[in-house]
Amino acid sequence: MATVSPPWNYTLHLPRDPRAPGVARGALRLILAAHELPELTPTAELLAAELLTNSHRHTTGLYALRVLSPEPGRVRVAVWDTDPRVPPGFSEDKGAPPLDAENGRGLHLVRACADKVGVSALGHPGAPNGGKLLWADCVGGSAW
């Protein structure tokens, strides 16, 4: 039985390391198991993997995973990084990339699998604690 009712949240600050997204996915699985939300794990893990990998590949600063549950049965997976630029394809649906594209599918997957997505710009380049927060919600009972 879960001992903490929503709202709850966790933040995992990650080093600039190619293994960091994998470590964060492991932490996410433990968090969801502890809060008895195993049905959300596959979707939440995919969302986290894509958002974290995007931050690792396309930004140069620090990044962090934030996992929160604003209400029962809903989990928000969010990734903060120091770059305030919102990646194209996250805030607007440009459709699926061409079948022969070698990359560019991650944010399309996020938009397709999440129940809701959003972004908060937190400053300008070089601003302390600036950057952006990309988030994606998944709700119990939704299937992808």
Side-chain angles (χ1 to χ4, degrees), residues 2 7-8 19 30 37 41 48 50 52 59 71 73-74 84 107 118 140 142:
W8 50 259
R19 297 167 290 205
L30 290 172
L37 295 167
T41 300
E50 294 301 335
L52 286 163
T59 68
E71 59 191 47
R74 177 181 294 271
L107 295 178
S142 62

Side-chain angles (χ1 to χ4, degrees), residues 110-126:
V110 168
R111 291 176 58 84
C113 295
D115 291 289
K116 187 175 180 183
V117 298
V119 61
S120 298
L122 305 172
H124 58 280

